[in-house]
Amino acid sequence: MALYPSFSFTPYGRSSLPSIVLTTLVLLLVTLLSFPSYAHKVMSGELAKHLKAINYGSKSDDKWVQPNHHEQQQFEAGFAAFISQNYPLAQELVAPIGYDVAQFFDTNTQTTYYLLQERATLPSADFRGGGTYIYNPNGLNAILQAPHPKRDSFTGTQAIDAFLFTETKLLMLAGTRRDSSHALSSCTNGHYEASDVAHQTDSYFNVVHKYMSDFDDNSVFIQYHGFGKTTLAKLQNQCMTNNDLMLNLSESVNYNTTENEQSILHSLRRAVEEDGKVAACVYGNDTKSLGGTWNVQARYTNGSANICSTSSTASSKRFIHLEQSYNVRKFHRDDMQKYLKKALENHFL
């Protein structure tokens, strides 16, 4: 068989090898230009190990950079393409603002995930602390969030492990410690640092939350938090328990809920109580403190008129502000992910 086709004479002359080569090069160039300018990365390994290696910086290091309006719009467009599984387009849209899309095959779960992650890492001067977002296209319709992955000890690790164990749709990890900034957030009466994304409307974390909240009205959010000894004593007194393994579950609205309702909050409460190790107290029913009513993500999903300044007056039944005592976060993370898996399966399946 001939390597090249035979050339034939025509009334206009004869085909030549240079012309064939030139035509081939032109066609190759056109083909290459038809592909997106950016290709997403392909990775494999232990996803949990990869995520737990994130460096969140240190207290008051001022590494978090507030994205401007244009950057937030660009990120939202990229995230929209990302969640629609158009990964090449997502990569092209987020590359100019320092992000990359990666396809990650987890050798532990034998599952392929997709990551939206900042290109620069600490101590690079280009680092902005926008956070990391991990998508499981086949996951249950729940979004796990760690807005304070280091300052609320163990909640970052907890959210990562729970995401993989419960096989949920999206994991959201803030990019820095909540106390990275010296400046204060203009939201929630200026009581929190600007880098505290649970109390900051101008962040990529909040952009993703708003998009996912609007994307599917059936999705639910679990946001991990933690409290210390002083608050534990206060909550124990309110909830009439001496158990140092304690949860304060809230829909971030100060009102009394019906305990037999089919909400994700009470599904989780029942799963915890059935095991009997951890005291599961509900804000508005059992406690009156630490309800997360100033949480801007909760406010958005609950339909607040102004999430920066106004608490919600009604609950969408889609958001859990999950406060946990130190010993729960340190010693009972495995139990908590089992409770959550059971609650989600009861809620969705």
Side-chain angles (χ1 to χ4, degrees):
M1 182 175 66
L3 182 61
Y4 295 102
S6 60
F7 303 126
S8 60
F9 289 93
T10 71
Y12 305 100
R14 187 173 66 125
S15 298
S16 64
L17 182 58
S19 67
I20 293 293
V21 173
L22 179 60
T23 301
T24 302
L25 290 174
V26 169
L27 290 173
L28 179 60
L29 180 61
V30 169
T31 301
L32 290 173
L33 289 175
S34 69
F35 286 108
S37 302
Y38 303 92
H40 65 268
K41 297 180 179 179
V42 177
M43 306 170 68
S44 65
E46 297 180 36
L47 180 57
K49 185 176 181 179
H50 174 76
L51 296 175
K52 290 175 184 178
I54 294 172
N55 183 352
Y56 296 100
S58 56
K59 180 178 179 179
S60 301
D61 60 7
D62 268 331
K63 295 299 183 183
W64 184 80
V65 178
Q66 183 171 313
N68 61 38
H69 181 67
H70 172 73
E71 290 168 333
Q72 291 178 60
Q73 286 183 316
Q74 185 80 7
F75 190 83
E76 181 178 4
F79 184 80
F82 177 76
I83 213 69
S84 298
Q85 301 182 55
N86 190 341
Y87 304 116
L89 176 60
Q91 175 64 52
E92 189 159 2
L93 290 169
V94 300
I97 52 173
Y99 264 77
D100 286 320
V101 175
Q103 176 183 306
F104 196 112
F105 179 73
D106 181 27
T107 53
N108 282 344
T109 63
Q110 297 293 297
T111 301
T112 298
Y113 300 89
Y114 294 88
L115 280 60
L116 192 58
Q117 56 187 5
E118 191 169 354
R119 189 177 309 121
T121 58
L122 288 172
S124 170
D126 294 327
F127 176 79
R128 296 169 62 86
T132 304
Y133 308 91
I134 305 93
Y135 179 44
N136 176 1
N138 299 313
L140 287 174
N141 197 12
I143 295 93
L144 308 190
Q145 302 176 334
H148 309 144
K150 280 297 181 183
R151 184 63 179 83
D152 287 9
S153 304
F154 305 109
T155 56
T157 296
Q158 179 181 35
I160 292 165
D161 289 339
F163 171 72
L164 297 172
F165 182 80
T166 58
E167 300 176 289
T168 44
K169 179 181 291 185
L170 188 71
L171 171 64
M172 301 170 54
L173 301 170
T176 65
R177 290 172 56 103
R178 65 185 298 180
D179 52 11
S180 171
S181 302
H182 285 90
L184 296 177
S185 170
S186 60
C187 295
T188 56
N189 298 332
H191 288 287
Y192 300 91
E193 290 89 351
S195 49
D196 184 343
V197 294
H199 303 95
Q200 169 64 265
T201 56
D202 291 320
S203 71
Y204 291 153
F205 191 95
N206 198 52
V207 167
V208 171
H209 177 84
K210 290 165 64 179
Y211 188 90
M212 292 304 296
S213 186
D214 295 339
F215 185 73
D216 186 342
D217 289 342
N218 293 315
S219 60
V220 297
F221 299 85
I222 315 298
Q223 192 174 104
Y224 290 95
H225 294 270
F227 56 86
K229 289 182 179 180
T230 301
T231 303
L232 172 62
K234 180 189 295 185
L235 292 174
Q236 285 175 322
N237 182 60
Q238 293 175 13
C239 197
M240 294 183 290
T241 180
N242 60 4
N243 192 345
D244 66 354
L245 302 176
M246 185 178 177
L247 308 179
N248 195 42
L249 299 96
S250 175
E251 293 175 349
S252 297
V253 179
N254 189 7
Y255 76 124
N256 187 272
T257 58
T258 303
E259 294 195 352
N260 62 356
E261 68 184 17
Q262 298 305 307
S263 65
I264 185 61
L265 182 145
H266 282 292
S267 290
L268 180 56
R269 175 190 59 80
R270 286 189 286 268
V272 174
E273 289 180 341
E274 285 169 8
D275 193 43
K277 295 178 186 175
V278 178
C281 302
V282 176
Y283 175 73
N285 291 17
D286 311 305
T287 63
K288 58 180 184 295
S289 302
L290 214 64
T293 58
W294 285 6
N295 185 307
V296 298
Q297 285 84 46
R299 285 177 172 183
Y300 185 83
T301 298
N302 287 333
S304 167
N306 186 328
I307 66 172
C308 185
S309 60
T310 307
S311 295
S312 308
T313 58
S315 173
S316 63
K317 302 294 179 183
R318 297 173 56 201
F319 190 97
I320 299 179
H321 182 97
L322 178 58
E323 292 279 4
Q324 307 161 96
S325 66
Y326 179 81
N327 284 344
V328 170
R329 288 175 279 137
K330 184 172 183 179
F331 300 113
H332 292 271
R333 297 194 299 274
D334 288 351
D335 289 323
M336 286 300 299
Q337 66 188 23
K338 292 174 185 175
Y339 304 148
L340 180 59
K341 187 175 182 69
K342 183 175 183 179
L344 291 171
E345 289 175 347
N346 288 339
H347 188 74
F348 286 116
L349 304 180

